[in-house]
Amino acid sequence: MPPTYGPFSRSPAMIKTMQIAHYLCVRFARGIGNSTQVDSDDWTLTETQEFNQLADVLARAFKNKKMLSWKADDYKDWLEVNGKGARGTNAEFERRVAEEFPPLVPGVIVFETEPFILCDIKGNILMWYLPGALKNRRQLKMWKELKILQGSFSIDEYSSSWRKNTSNYMKREDCKTLAPGTVSMAPAWFQQGHAKSNPLEVSAELRKARGLRWIENFSDSAALIGAALSIMHTWQWQLAIQAMDNLYRDPDLVAKNETLPRVLNAWTSPLTGISVINNRLETPTHRDRGSAYEWFDILSSIGKYQNGYMRLPGAGVEVAYGPGTLVGIAGKILTHNASSVGERACIAQYMKDNVVTALVTSNHRRWANASYIGRMEM
């Protein structure tokens, strides 16, 4: 029987996440026909409604598999040889990729609105698409809490990075609720470009009062969303819990750690980093380079917007990306972009490969596999 909701943790914040994960796993296992165990009654009605909705969408996605014709390991090896660090922005390079690793239906863009998982030919999962995973009251709570970060969102008209360049964001005067921009935070990470020379440190935003206040307010949402990883990617979940537990047991692994105890008391996400991207009109096609090929980023889309779409050009897939959608994506493999009309926030939770390597001695990278998850029992 495959492990389900994961390893032991000494972190009080992570214990709640693991308790939610246990509930989700029981409900999911029953949803895919592997269990008759009833749901726990240790939670409030509001909590169980939220958990049930998320677990049921996960089960629906799992039962709706889309299979690519190639192996993810071959794709990974090809990128390592031919374009290590490929950002997904070079059209000629991506044309060569498509010749080697064709999309789901060659010559056709497959549009989806129902939950599904996207797998390679071996059943390794590259994406979970989970529309309607978050209830409306959860979305509203998350949206209101982002006002705490109002002074932290940054953009720059002169930035060479599309992630911060003003041209990809709504105009400030058109944003009625939240300023456009992005902010990132982590209890432990390396300064950009200094992973080999500098120690891990608490991110600057989590050394500020508003960053600390936001992560404390966001903690219940982070626990709910993070707990879904226990189903989506059991191996990444276990590695993430181990990394956070090691950090909890030995805070001296991290420099500039004066606020770390308060951060860890509220950091319920098993993933080691969070970015908030607010009121970006267009996210250009790209790959996310900082993670491992095998790992998921979990994206939560909320806000007051319409016509939200996410596209995976290499896979030949486009999905409706409405409020309340969660996406777990192997972002270092799959090129992806997004667009919307109106005010929207994307809250991205992720793991940096170099951070996990610094926190965990045996950083084993494995794919999430559908046949493995399909044997989940409780």
Side-chain angles (χ1 to χ4, degrees), residues 189-230:
W189 68 7
F190 293 104
Q191 288 188 23
Q192 188 171 0
H194 296 281
K196 294 182 179 180
S197 58
N198 288 16
L200 288 167
E201 61 181 51
V202 177
S203 66
E205 190 63 31
L206 291 179
R207 302 196 300 270
K208 301 175 184 176
R210 60 177 171 241
L212 289 166
R213 184 180 164 211
W214 180 76
I215 204 64
E216 288 169 346
N217 278 264
F218 183 62
S219 63
D220 57 339
S221 298
L224 174 66
I225 297 164
L229 185 66
S230 65

Side-chain angles (χ1 to χ4, degrees), residues 73-331:
D73 277 320
D74 291 344
Y75 195 122
K76 170 185 173 180
D77 293 343
W78 193 92
L79 284 180
E80 285 291 301
V81 171
N82 295 280
K84 188 174 182 180
R87 301 182 179 186
T89 56
N90 185 306
E92 175 58 25
F93 180 82
E94 296 306 323
R95 184 191 63 77
R96 291 173 53 209
V97 174
E99 290 176 353
E100 295 289 332
F101 305 96
L104 192 62
V105 181
V108 176
I109 300 297
V110 178
F111 181 72
E112 291 288 342
T113 60
E114 292 297 314
F116 69 88
I117 57 173
L118 182 66
C119 304
D120 77 350
I121 199 171
K122 303 292 284 186
N124 294 318
I125 304 173
L126 303 178
M127 178 184 181
W128 290 76
Y129 170 58
L130 306 170
L134 299 177
K135 293 189 77 69
N136 289 338
R137 59 175 168 262
R138 174 60 56 188
Q139 298 175 49
L140 182 60
K141 182 179 185 296
M142 292 164 66
W143 181 253
K144 287 181 176 179
E145 289 166 353
L146 290 179
K147 293 180 181 179
I148 297 170
L149 294 174
Q150 190 78 298
S152 297
F153 296 120
S154 64
I155 50 177
D156 182 358
E157 65 179 310
Y158 301 109
S159 175
S160 59
S161 169
W162 60 263
R163 297 180 187 274
K164 287 199 171 186
N165 192 281
T166 307
S167 62
N168 290 319
Y169 290 83
M170 292 177 64
K171 296 179 179 179
R172 289 185 182 273
E173 57 267 28
D174 294 334
C175 298
K176 298 179 180 180
T177 308
L178 297 172
T182 183
V183 62
S184 297
M185 60 196 76
W189 68 7
F190 293 104
Q191 288 188 23
Q192 188 171 0
H194 296 281
K196 294 182 179 180
S197 58
N198 288 16
L200 288 167
E201 61 181 51
V202 177
S203 66
E205 190 63 31
L206 291 179
R207 302 196 300 270
K208 301 175 184 176
R210 60 177 171 241
L212 289 166
R213 184 180 164 211
W214 180 76
I215 204 64
E216 288 169 346
N217 278 264
F218 183 62
S219 63
D220 57 339
S221 298
L224 174 66
I225 297 164
L229 185 66
S230 65
I231 294 169
M232 297 162 73
H233 199 322
T234 304
W235 302 113
Q236 185 181 358
W237 162 260
Q238 293 181 351
L239 188 63
I241 293 292
Q242 185 179 352
M244 293 306 299
D245 190 55
N246 288 350
L247 185 58
Y248 180 80
R249 288 189 295 112
D250 189 0
D252 289 334
L253 290 169
V254 181
K256 302 180 182 179
N257 63 2
E258 292 81 6
T259 61
L260 187 59
R262 185 175 168 186
V263 171
L264 292 179
N265 281 335
W267 193 275
T268 56
S269 174
L271 301 172
T272 60
I274 297 176
S275 293
V276 180
I277 305 99
N278 198 50
N279 288 335
R280 183 187 284 162
L281 290 171
E282 298 280 346
T283 299
T285 302
H286 67 285
R287 289 187 184 87
D288 297 307
R289 297 178 297 155
S291 186
Y293 290 102
E294 297 85 352
W295 296 345
F296 293 141
D297 303 329
I298 302 181
L299 313 178
S300 310
S301 189
I302 58 173
K304 305 172 182 179
Y305 66 95
Q306 305 82 39
N307 300 325
Y309 298 99
M310 175 179 279
R311 304 168 191 88
L312 291 79
V317 175
E318 181 176 356
V319 299
Y321 199 30
T325 299
L326 295 184
V327 173
I329 183 170

